[in-house]
Structure formats: C-alpha cells, structure tokens
Coordinates of all heavy atoms in Angstrom, one line a residue:
M166 N -34.0 -37.4 57.6 CA -32.7 -37.0 57.6 C -32.1 -37.1 56.2 O -31.4 -36.3 55.7 CB -31.9 -37.8 58.5 CG -30.4 -37.5 58.7 SD -29.7 -38.3 59.9 CE -28.0 -38.5 59.3
L167 N -32.5 -38.3 55.6 CA -32.0 -38.5 54.2 C -32.5 -37.4 53.2 O -31.8 -36.9 52.4 CB -32.3 -39.8 53.7 CG -31.5 -41.0 54.2 CD1 -32.0 -42.3 53.7 CD2 -30.0 -40.9 53.9
E168 N -33.8 -37.2 53.3 CA -34.4 -36.1 52.5 C -33.7 -34.8 52.5 O -33.6 -34.0 51.6 CB -35.9 -36.0 52.7 CG -36.7 -37.2 52.1 CD -38.3 -36.9 52.3 OE1 -38.7 -35.7 52.4 OE2 -38.9 -37.9 52.5
N169 N -33.4 -34.4 53.9 CA -32.8 -33.1 54.0 C -31.4 -33.0 53.7 O -30.8 -32.0 53.3 CB -33.1 -32.7 55.5 CG -34.5 -32.5 55.9 OD1 -35.3 -32.1 55.1 ND2 -34.8 -32.7 57.1
N170 N -30.6 -34.1 53.7 CA -29.1 -34.0 53.6 C -28.5 -34.8 52.4 O -27.3 -34.6 52.1 CB -28.4 -34.6 54.9 CG -28.9 -33.6 56.0 OD1 -28.7 -32.4 56.1 ND2 -29.4 -34.3 57.2
L171 N -29.3 -35.7 51.9 CA -28.7 -36.5 50.8 C -28.2 -35.7 49.6 O -27.2 -36.0 49.0 CB -29.7 -37.6 50.3 CG -29.1 -38.7 49.4 CD1 -27.9 -39.4 50.2 CD2 -30.2 -39.6 49.0
R172 N -28.9 -34.6 49.3 CA -28.4 -33.8 48.2 C -27.0 -33.3 48.4 O -26.3 -33.1 47.4 CB -29.4 -32.7 47.9 CG -29.4 -31.6 48.9 CD -30.4 -30.5 48.8 NE -31.2 -30.5 49.8 CZ -32.3 -29.7 50.0 NH1 -32.7 -28.9 48.9 NH2 -32.9 -29.5 51.0
Y173 N -26.7 -33.0 49.6 CA -25.3 -32.4 50.0 C -24.3 -33.6 49.8 O -23.2 -33.3 49.3 CB -25.3 -31.8 51.4 CG -26.4 -30.8 51.4 CD1 -27.4 -30.9 52.4 CD2 -26.2 -29.5 50.7 CE1 -28.3 -29.9 52.5 CE2 -27.2 -28.6 50.8 CZ -28.2 -28.8 51.8 OH -29.2 -27.7 51.8
V174 N -24.6 -34.7 50.3 CA -23.7 -35.8 50.2 C -23.4 -36.2 48.8 O -22.3 -36.5 48.3 CB -24.2 -37.0 50.9 CG1 -23.4 -38.3 50.7 CG2 -24.3 -36.7 52.4
T175 N -24.6 -36.2 48.0 CA -24.5 -36.6 46.5 C -23.7 -35.5 45.8 O -22.9 -35.9 45.0 CB -25.9 -36.6 45.9 OG1 -26.7 -37.6 46.6 CG2 -25.8 -37.1 44.4
Y176 N -23.8 -34.3 46.0 CA -23.1 -33.3 45.5 C -21.7 -33.4 45.6 O -20.8 -33.2 44.8 CB -23.7 -31.8 45.8 CG -22.7 -30.8 45.3 CD1 -22.9 -30.3 43.9 CD2 -21.7 -30.1 46.0 CE1 -22.1 -29.3 43.4 CE2 -21.0 -29.1 45.6 CZ -21.1 -28.7 44.2 OH -20.3 -27.7 43.7
A177 N -21.4 -33.5 46.9 CA -19.9 -33.7 47.3 C -19.2 -34.9 46.6 O -18.1 -34.7 46.3 CB -19.8 -33.7 48.9
S178 N -19.9 -36.0 46.6 CA -19.5 -37.2 45.9 C -19.2 -37.0 44.4 O -18.2 -37.3 43.9 CB -20.4 -38.3 46.2 OG -20.5 -38.7 47.6
S179 N -20.2 -36.4 43.8 CA -20.0 -36.1 42.4 C -19.0 -35.1 42.1 O -18.3 -35.2 41.1 CB -21.3 -35.8 41.7 OG -21.8 -34.5 42.2
H180 N -18.9 -34.1 43.0 CA -17.8 -33.1 42.8 C -16.4 -33.7 42.9 O -15.5 -33.5 42.1 CB -18.0 -32.0 43.8 CG -17.0 -30.9 43.7 ND1 -17.1 -30.0 42.6 CD2 -15.9 -30.5 44.4 CE1 -16.0 -29.2 42.7 NE2 -15.3 -29.4 43.7
K181 N -16.3 -34.6 43.9 CA -15.0 -35.3 44.2 C -14.6 -36.2 42.9 O -13.5 -36.2 42.5 CB -15.1 -36.1 45.4 CG -13.7 -36.8 45.7 CD -13.9 -37.6 46.9 CE -12.5 -38.3 47.3 NZ -12.5 -39.2 48.4
W182 N -15.7 -36.9 42.4 CA -15.5 -37.7 41.2 C -15.0 -36.8 40.0 O -14.1 -37.2 39.3 CB -16.7 -38.4 40.9 CG -16.7 -39.3 39.7 CD1 -17.1 -38.9 38.4 CD2 -16.0 -40.5 39.5 NE1 -17.0 -39.9 37.5 CE2 -16.2 -40.9 38.2 CE3 -15.4 -41.3 40.3 CZ2 -15.7 -42.1 37.6 CZ3 -14.8 -42.6 39.9 CH2 -15.0 -42.9 38.5
G183 N -15.6 -35.8 39.8 CA -15.3 -34.8 38.7 C -13.7 -34.3 38.8 O -13.0 -34.3 37.8
Q184 N -13.4 -34.0 40.1 CA -12.1 -33.6 40.3 C -11.1 -34.6 40.0 O -10.0 -34.5 39.4 CB -11.9 -33.1 41.7 CG -12.5 -31.8 42.0 CD -12.2 -31.4 43.5 OE1 -12.4 -32.2 44.4 NE2 -11.8 -30.0 43.6
Q185 N -11.4 -35.8 40.4 CA -10.6 -37.0 40.1 C -10.3 -37.3 38.6 O -9.3 -37.5 38.2 CB -11.1 -38.3 40.8 CG -10.1 -39.5 40.7 CD -10.7 -40.7 41.5 OE1 -11.8 -40.6 42.0 NE2 -10.0 -41.8 41.4
C186 N -11.5 -37.2 37.9 CA -11.4 -37.4 36.5 C -10.5 -36.3 35.8 O -9.7 -36.6 35.0 CB -12.8 -37.3 35.9 SG -13.9 -38.7 36.3
T187 N -10.7 -35.1 36.2 CA -9.9 -34.0 35.7 C -8.4 -34.3 36.0 O -7.5 -34.1 35.2 CB -10.3 -32.6 36.3 OG1 -11.7 -32.6 36.0 CG2 -9.5 -31.5 35.8
W188 N -8.1 -34.7 37.2 CA -6.7 -35.0 37.6 C -6.2 -36.1 36.8 O -5.0 -36.0 36.3 CB -6.6 -35.3 39.1 CG -5.2 -35.6 39.5 CD1 -4.2 -34.7 39.8 CD2 -4.6 -36.9 39.6 NE1 -3.1 -35.4 40.1 CE2 -3.3 -36.7 39.9 CE3 -5.1 -38.2 39.4 CZ2 -2.4 -37.8 40.0 CZ3 -4.2 -39.3 39.4 CH2 -2.8 -39.1 39.8
V189 N -6.9 -37.2 36.6 CA -6.4 -38.4 35.8 C -6.0 -37.9 34.4 O -5.0 -38.3 33.8 CB -7.5 -39.5 35.8 CG1 -7.1 -40.6 34.8 CG2 -7.6 -40.0 37.2
I190 N -7.0 -37.1 33.7 CA -6.7 -36.7 32.4 C -5.4 -35.8 32.3 O -4.6 -36.0 31.5 CB -7.9 -36.0 31.8 CG1 -9.0 -37.0 31.6 CG2 -7.5 -35.3 30.5 CD1 -10.3 -36.4 31.2
A191 N -5.3 -34.9 33.2 CA -4.2 -34.0 33.3 C -2.9 -34.8 33.6 O -1.8 -34.6 32.8 CB -4.2 -33.0 34.4
D192 N -2.9 -35.7 34.5 CA -1.9 -36.6 34.8 C -1.4 -37.5 33.5 O -0.2 -37.6 33.2 CB -2.1 -37.5 35.9 CG -0.8 -38.3 36.5 OD1 0.2 -37.6 36.8 OD2 -0.9 -39.5 36.5
A193 N -2.4 -38.0 32.8 CA -2.1 -38.8 31.6 C -1.4 -38.0 30.6 O -0.6 -38.4 29.8 CB -3.4 -39.5 31.2
K194 N -2.0 -36.8 30.4 CA -1.3 -35.9 29.4 C 0.1 -35.4 29.7 O 1.0 -35.6 28.8 CB -2.1 -34.5 29.3 CG -3.5 -34.6 28.6 CD -4.4 -33.4 28.8 CE -3.9 -32.1 28.5 NZ -4.8 -31.1 28.6
E195 N 0.3 -35.2 31.0 CA 1.7 -34.8 31.4 C 2.7 -36.0 31.4 O 3.8 -35.8 30.8 CB 1.6 -34.2 32.8 CG 2.9 -33.7 33.4 CD 2.9 -33.1 34.7 OE1 1.9 -32.6 35.0 OE2 3.8 -33.5 35.5
K196 N 2.3 -37.1 32.0 CA 3.3 -38.2 32.1 C 3.4 -39.1 30.9 O 4.4 -39.8 30.6 CB 2.9 -39.0 33.3 CG 3.1 -38.4 34.6 CD 2.8 -39.4 35.7 CE 3.0 -38.7 37.1 NZ 2.6 -39.6 38.2
Y197 N 2.3 -39.2 30.1 CA 2.3 -40.2 29.1 C 2.0 -39.7 27.6 O 1.8 -40.5 26.7 CB 1.2 -41.3 29.4 CG 1.5 -42.0 30.7 CD1 0.7 -41.7 31.8 CD2 2.6 -42.7 31.0 CE1 0.9 -42.2 33.1 CE2 2.8 -43.4 32.2 CZ 2.0 -43.0 33.3 OH 2.3 -43.5 34.5
G198 N 1.7 -38.3 27.6 CA 1.5 -37.7 26.3 C 0.1 -38.1 25.7 O 0.0 -37.9 24.4
V199 N -0.8 -38.4 26.5 CA -2.1 -38.8 26.0 C -2.7 -37.5 25.5 O -2.7 -36.4 26.1 CB -3.0 -39.4 27.3 CG1 -4.5 -39.5 26.8 CG2 -2.5 -40.7 27.7
V200 N -3.5 -37.6 24.4 CA -4.2 -36.5 23.9 C -5.6 -36.7 24.0 O -6.2 -37.7 23.3 CB -3.9 -36.3 22.3 CG1 -4.6 -35.1 21.8 CG2 -2.3 -36.0 22.2
P201 N -6.4 -36.1 24.9 CA -7.8 -36.4 25.1 C -8.6 -36.0 24.0 O -8.2 -35.1 23.1 CB -8.2 -35.5 26.3 CG -6.9 -35.0 26.9 CD -5.8 -35.1 25.8
Y202 N -9.7 -36.7 23.7 CA -10.6 -36.5 22.5 C -12.0 -36.5 23.0 O -12.4 -37.3 23.8 CB -10.4 -37.6 21.5 CG -11.3 -37.4 20.3 CD1 -11.1 -36.5 19.3 CD2 -12.6 -38.1 20.2 CE1 -12.0 -36.4 18.2 CE2 -13.4 -38.0 19.2 CZ -13.2 -37.1 18.2 OH -14.1 -36.9 17.2
S203 N -12.8 -35.5 22.6 CA -14.2 -35.4 22.9 C -14.9 -35.4 21.6 O -14.5 -34.8 20.7 CB -14.5 -34.1 23.7 OG -13.8 -34.1 24.8
W204 N -16.1 -36.2 21.6 CA -16.9 -36.2 20.5 C -17.7 -35.0 20.4 O -18.1 -34.4 21.4 CB -17.9 -37.4 20.6 CG -17.3 -38.7 20.4 CD1 -16.0 -39.1 20.3 CD2 -17.9 -40.0 20.3 NE1 -15.8 -40.4 20.2 CE2 -17.0 -41.0 20.1 CE3 -19.3 -40.3 20.3 CZ2 -17.4 -42.3 20.0 CZ3 -19.6 -41.6 20.2 CH2 -18.7 -42.7 20.1
S205 N -17.9 -34.6 19.1 CA -18.8 -33.4 18.9 C -20.2 -33.8 19.3 O -20.6 -35.0 19.4 CB -18.8 -33.0 17.4 OG -19.4 -34.0 16.6
A206 N -21.0 -32.7 19.5 CA -22.4 -33.1 19.9 C -23.1 -33.7 18.8 O -24.0 -34.6 19.1 CB -23.1 -31.6 20.2
E207 N -22.7 -33.4 17.6 CA -23.4 -34.2 16.3 C -23.1 -35.6 16.4 O -23.9 -36.5 16.2 CB -22.9 -33.5 15.1 CG -23.5 -34.1 13.9 CD -22.9 -33.5 12.6 OE1 -22.9 -32.3 12.5 OE2 -22.5 -34.3 11.7
D208 N -21.8 -36.0 16.7 CA -21.5 -37.4 16.7 C -22.1 -38.1 17.9 O -22.5 -39.3 17.8 CB -19.9 -37.5 16.9 CG -19.2 -37.2 15.5 OD1 -19.8 -37.2 14.5 OD2 -18.0 -36.9 15.6
V209 N -22.2 -37.4 19.0 CA -22.9 -38.0 20.2 C -24.2 -38.3 19.9 O -24.8 -39.4 20.2 CB -22.7 -37.1 21.5 CG1 -23.5 -37.6 22.6 CG2 -21.3 -37.1 22.0
N210 N -24.9 -37.3 19.2 CA -26.4 -37.5 18.9 C -26.5 -38.6 17.9 O -27.4 -39.4 18.0 CB -26.8 -36.2 18.3 CG -28.4 -36.3 18.1 OD1 -29.1 -36.7 19.0 ND2 -28.8 -35.8 17.0
K211 N -25.6 -38.7 17.0 CA -25.7 -39.8 15.9 C -25.6 -41.2 16.6 O -26.3 -42.1 16.3 CB -24.5 -39.6 14.9 CG -24.8 -40.2 13.6 CD -23.6 -40.1 12.6 CE -23.4 -38.6 12.3 NZ -22.3 -38.4 11.3
V212 N -24.6 -41.3 17.4 CA -24.4 -42.6 18.1 C -25.6 -42.9 19.1 O -26.0 -44.0 19.0 CB -23.1 -42.6 18.9 CG1 -23.0 -43.8 19.8 CG2 -21.9 -42.6 17.9
T213 N -26.1 -41.9 19.8 CA -27.2 -42.1 20.7 C -28.5 -42.7 19.9 O -29.1 -43.6 20.3 CB -27.6 -40.8 21.4 OG1 -26.5 -40.5 22.1 CG2 -28.7 -41.1 22.3
L214 N -28.7 -42.0 18.8 CA -29.9 -42.4 18.0 C -29.7 -43.8 17.3 O -30.7 -44.6 17.3 CB -30.2 -41.3 16.8 CG -30.6 -40.0 17.4 CD1 -30.8 -39.0 16.2 CD2 -31.9 -40.1 18.2
K215 N -28.5 -44.1 17.0 CA -28.2 -45.5 16.4 C -28.4 -46.5 17.4 O -29.0 -47.5 17.3 CB -26.8 -45.5 15.9 CG -26.4 -46.7 15.2 CD -27.0 -46.8 13.9 CE -26.3 -48.0 13.1 NZ -26.9 -48.1 11.8
A216 N -28.0 -46.2 18.8 CA -28.3 -47.2 19.8 C -29.7 -47.3 20.1 O -30.2 -48.5 20.3 CB -27.5 -46.8 21.1
V217 N -30.5 -46.2 20.2 CA -31.9 -46.3 20.4 C -32.6 -47.2 19.4 O -33.5 -47.9 19.6 CB -32.5 -44.9 20.6 CG1 -34.0 -45.0 20.6 CG2 -31.9 -44.2 21.8
D218 N -32.2 -47.1 18.1 CA -32.8 -47.7 17.0 C -32.4 -49.1 16.8 O -33.2 -50.0 16.4 CB -32.5 -47.0 15.7 CG -33.1 -45.6 15.6 OD1 -34.1 -45.4 16.4 OD2 -32.8 -44.7 14.7
T219 N -31.1 -49.5 17.2 CA -30.7 -50.8 17.0 C -30.4 -51.6 18.3 O -30.9 -52.8 18.3 CB -29.3 -50.7 16.2 OG1 -28.3 -50.1 16.9 CG2 -29.6 -50.2 14.8
L220 N -29.9 -51.1 19.3 CA -29.4 -51.8 20.4 C -30.5 -52.0 21.4 O -30.8 -53.0 22.0 CB -28.2 -51.2 21.1 CG -26.9 -51.3 20.3 CD1 -25.9 -50.5 21.0 CD2 -26.5 -52.6 19.9
Y221 N -31.3 -50.9 21.6 CA -32.4 -50.9 22.6 C -33.4 -52.0 22.4 O -33.8 -52.7 23.3 CB -33.0 -49.5 22.8 CG -32.2 -48.4 23.5 CD1 -30.8 -48.6 23.6 CD2 -32.8 -47.4 24.1 CE1 -30.0 -47.7 24.2 CE2 -32.0 -46.4 24.8 CZ -30.6 -46.6 24.8 OH -29.9 -45.6 25.5
P222 N -33.9 -52.1 21.1 CA -34.8 -53.2 20.7 C -34.3 -54.6 21.1 O -35.0 -55.4 21.6 CB -35.1 -53.0 19.3 CG -34.9 -51.6 19.0 CD -33.6 -51.3 19.9
K223 N -33.0 -54.8 20.8 CA -32.4 -56.1 21.2 C -32.5 -56.4 22.6 O -32.6 -57.5 23.1 CB -31.0 -56.3 20.6 CG -31.1 -56.2 19.0 CD -29.6 -56.3 18.5 CE -29.6 -56.2 17.0 NZ -28.2 -56.3 16.4
V224 N -32.1 -55.4 23.4 CA -32.0 -55.5 24.9 C -33.4 -55.7 25.4 O -33.7 -56.6 26.2 CB -31.3 -54.3 25.6 CG1 -31.4 -54.4 27.1 CG2 -29.9 -54.2 25.1
A225 N -34.3 -54.9 24.9 CA -35.8 -55.1 25.3 C -36.4 -56.3 25.0 O -37.2 -56.9 25.8 CB -36.6 -53.9 24.7
A226 N -36.0 -57.0 23.9 CA -36.5 -58.3 23.6 C -36.0 -59.4 24.4 O -36.6 -60.5 24.4 CB -36.1 -58.5 22.1
K227 N -35.1 -59.2 25.2 CA -34.5 -60.3 26.1 C -35.5 -60.8 27.2 O -35.6 -61.9 27.4 CB -33.2 -59.8 26.9 CG -32.1 -59.5 25.9 CD -31.4 -60.7 25.4 CE -30.2 -60.3 24.5 NZ -29.6 -61.5 23.9
S228 N -36.2 -59.9 27.7 CA -37.3 -60.3 28.7 C -38.2 -59.1 29.1 O -37.9 -57.9 28.7 CB -36.6 -60.7 30.1 OG -36.0 -59.6 30.7
A229 N -39.3 -59.3 29.8 CA -40.1 -58.3 30.2 C -39.4 -57.3 31.2 O -39.6 -56.1 31.0 CB -41.4 -58.9 30.8
R230 N -38.6 -57.8 31.9 CA -37.8 -56.9 32.9 C -37.0 -56.0 32.1 O -36.8 -54.8 32.4 CB -37.1 -57.7 33.8 CG -36.4 -56.9 35.0 CD -35.8 -57.8 36.0 NE -35.2 -57.1 37.0 CZ -34.3 -57.6 37.9 NH1 -34.0 -58.9 37.8 NH2 -33.8 -56.8 38.8
C231 N -36.2 -56.6 31.1 CA -35.3 -55.8 30.2 C -36.1 -54.7 29.5 O -35.6 -53.5 29.4 CB -34.5 -56.6 29.3 SG -33.3 -57.6 30.0
A232 N -37.3 -55.0 29.0 CA -38.1 -54.1 28.3 C -38.5 -52.9 29.2 O -38.5 -51.7 28.8 CB -39.3 -54.8 27.8
K233 N -38.8 -53.3 30.4 CA -39.2 -52.2 31.4 C -38.0 -51.3 31.6 O -38.2 -50.1 31.7 CB -39.8 -52.9 32.6 CG -40.2 -51.9 33.7 CD -40.7 -52.6 35.0 CE -41.1 -51.6 36.0 NZ -41.7 -52.2 37.2
L234 N -36.8 -51.8 31.8 CA -35.7 -51.0 32.1 C -35.3 -50.2 30.9 O -35.0 -49.1 31.1 CB -34.5 -52.0 32.5 CG -34.6 -52.6 33.8 CD1 -33.5 -53.7 33.9 CD2 -34.6 -51.7 34.9
V235 N -35.5 -50.7 29.6 CA -35.2 -49.9 28.4 C -36.2 -48.8 28.4 O -35.8 -47.6 28.1 CB -35.3 -50.7 27.1 CG1 -35.3 -49.9 25.9 CG2 -34.1 -51.8 27.2
D236 N -37.4 -48.9 28.8 CA -38.4 -47.9 28.8 C -38.1 -46.8 29.8 O -38.3 -45.6 29.5 CB -39.8 -48.5 29.1 CG -40.5 -49.3 28.0 OD1 -39.9 -49.1 26.8 OD2 -41.4 -50.1 28.3
I237 N -37.5 -47.2 30.9 CA -37.1 -46.2 32.0 C -36.0 -45.4 31.4 O -36.0 -44.1 31.4 CB -36.7 -47.0 33.3 CG1 -37.9 -47.5 33.9 CG2 -36.0 -46.0 34.1 CD1 -37.5 -48.5 35.1
V238 N -35.0 -46.0 30.8 CA -33.9 -45.3 30.1 C -34.4 -44.3 29.0 O -33.9 -43.2 29.0 CB -32.8 -46.3 29.7 CG1 -31.7 -45.4 28.8 CG2 -32.2 -47.0 30.8
K239 N -35.2 -44.8 28.2 CA -35.8 -44.0 27.1 C -36.6 -42.8 27.7 O -36.4 -41.6 27.2 CB -36.6 -44.8 26.2 CG -35.7 -45.7 25.3 CD -36.5 -46.7 24.5 CE -37.3 -46.2 23.4 NZ -37.9 -47.2 22.5
K240 N -37.3 -43.0 28.7 CA -38.1 -41.9 29.3 C -37.1 -40.9 29.9 O -37.3 -39.7 29.8 CB -39.0 -42.4 30.4 CG -39.8 -41.3 31.1 CD -40.6 -41.7 32.3 CE -41.4 -40.6 32.8 NZ -40.9 -39.3 32.9
Q241 N -36.0 -41.3 30.6 CA -35.1 -40.4 31.1 C -34.4 -39.6 30.0 O -34.3 -38.4 30.1 CB -34.0 -41.1 31.9 CG -33.0 -40.2 32.5 CD -31.9 -40.9 33.2 OE1 -31.5 -42.0 32.8 NE2 -31.3 -40.3 34.1
M242 N -34.1 -40.3 28.9 CA -33.5 -39.6 27.6 C -34.4 -38.6 27.1 O -33.9 -37.5 26.7 CB -33.0 -40.6 26.7 CG -31.8 -41.5 27.2 SD -31.3 -42.7 26.0 CE -30.4 -41.7 25.0
R243 N -35.7 -38.9 27.1 CA -36.6 -37.9 26.6 C -36.8 -36.7 27.5 O -36.8 -35.6 27.1 CB -38.1 -38.6 26.4 CG -38.2 -39.3 25.2 CD -39.6 -39.8 24.9 NE -39.6 -41.0 24.2 CZ -39.7 -42.3 24.8 NH1 -39.9 -42.5 26.0 NH2 -39.7 -43.3 24.0
D244 N -36.8 -37.0 28.8 CA -36.9 -36.0 29.9 C -35.6 -35.0 29.7 O -35.8 -33.8 30.0 CB -36.9 -36.5 31.3 CG -38.3 -37.2 31.5 OD1 -39.2 -37.1 30.7 OD2 -38.3 -37.9 32.6
Y245 N -34.5 -35.5 29.4 CA -33.3 -34.7 29.2 C -33.1 -34.2 27.8 O -32.0 -33.7 27.4 CB -32.1 -35.5 29.7 CG -32.0 -35.6 31.2 CD1 -32.5 -36.7 31.9 CD2 -31.6 -34.4 32.0 CE1 -32.3 -36.7 33.2 CE2 -31.5 -34.5 33.3 CZ -31.9 -35.6 33.9 OH -31.8 -35.7 35.4
S246 N -34.1 -34.5 26.9 CA -34.1 -34.1 25.5 C -32.9 -34.6 24.7 O -32.4 -34.0 23.8 CB -34.0 -32.5 25.5 OG -35.0 -31.9 26.0
R247 N -32.5 -35.9 25.1 CA -31.4 -36.5 24.3 C -32.1 -37.3 23.1 O -31.4 -37.6 22.1 CB -30.7 -37.6 25.3 CG -30.1 -37.0 26.5 CD -28.6 -36.5 26.2 NE -27.7 -37.3 25.5 CZ -27.1 -38.4 25.9 NH1 -27.1 -38.7 27.2 NH2 -26.2 -39.0 25.1
I248 N -33.4 -37.7 23.2 CA -34.1 -38.2 22.2 C -35.5 -37.6 22.1 O -35.9 -37.0 23.1 CB -34.2 -39.8 22.3 CG1 -34.9 -40.2 23.5 CG2 -32.9 -40.4 22.2 CD1 -35.2 -41.8 23.6
K249 N -36.2 -37.9 21.1 CA -37.5 -37.4 20.9 C -38.6 -38.5 21.3 O -38.3 -39.6 21.3 CB -37.9 -36.9 19.5 CG -37.0 -35.7 19.2 CD -37.4 -35.2 17.8 CE -36.5 -33.9 17.5 NZ -36.8 -33.4 16.3

C-alpha cells in the first residue's frame, strides 16, 4: 500500500507546503512591506562550495556517524549536480 500510494501523499504534502510558503511571503509583503530577496545561482553555488570545503570536514570529524552522514549528503549533492 505504501509503495503504491506514498508518492501521492508526499506530492500533496509538498504542494500544500509550497502554497503556504507562497502565501506567507505575499502576506508579509502586503501587511509588513517585506521585500523578498533570492540569491543568484552564482551566490548559492559559492556558499555551497564554501560549506563543502570548510564546514563539512568539521562536521565529519565529530564522529564516524557524522562522517557517514556527511558522505550521504555529499553523494546526494553530487547526484543533483550541486557539487562535483
């Protein structure tokens, strides 16, 4: 049952979350004059690479379990072409 239906539940949940985020931003703009800011792809890439080079090794050095988790995150980032 989970294999057949979980993708629909997950999609519905993530879609609802996306709508809520959009509403919160629109409400903040309208009521409080918030000006949303998004980083450029270049800036996101720069910060990502800096984290991989400086923060990830520090986290991985905490324990074997932390190192394993950092490896999982790095693999996922490679799979999504966020890092090389």
Side-chain angles (χ1 to χ4, degrees):
M166 184 172 148
L167 285 175
E168 281 185 31
N169 293 332
N170 297 308
L171 192 58
R172 68 181 130 182
Y173 303 114
V174 173
T175 305
Y176 174 78
S178 296
S179 63
H180 181 70
K181 183 179 178 182
W182 177 257
Q184 285 181 314
Q185 183 177 1
C186 290
T187 301
W188 178 83
V189 166
I190 291 170
D192 191 53
K194 284 167 58 175
E195 181 182 323
K196 288 184 180 175
Y197 306 105
V199 171
V200 178
Y202 175 80
S203 296
W204 287 9
S205 68
E207 180 182 310
D208 288 341
V209 170
N210 189 44
K211 204 182 294 185
V212 170
T213 299
L214 295 177
K215 184 77 168 176
V217 170
D218 292 341
T219 59
L220 297 177
Y221 286 22
K223 291 178 183 179
V224 172
K227 298 284 182 183
S228 70
R230 186 174 180 197
C231 287
K233 184 176 179 179
L234 292 171
V235 168
D236 287 342
I237 291 169
V238 171
K239 287 169 77 173
K240 182 185 180 323
Q241 181 187 31
M242 291 178 78
R243 278 189 212 95
D244 290 348
Y245 285 101
S246 299
R247 300 273 316 272
I248 62 173
K249 291 182 183 183

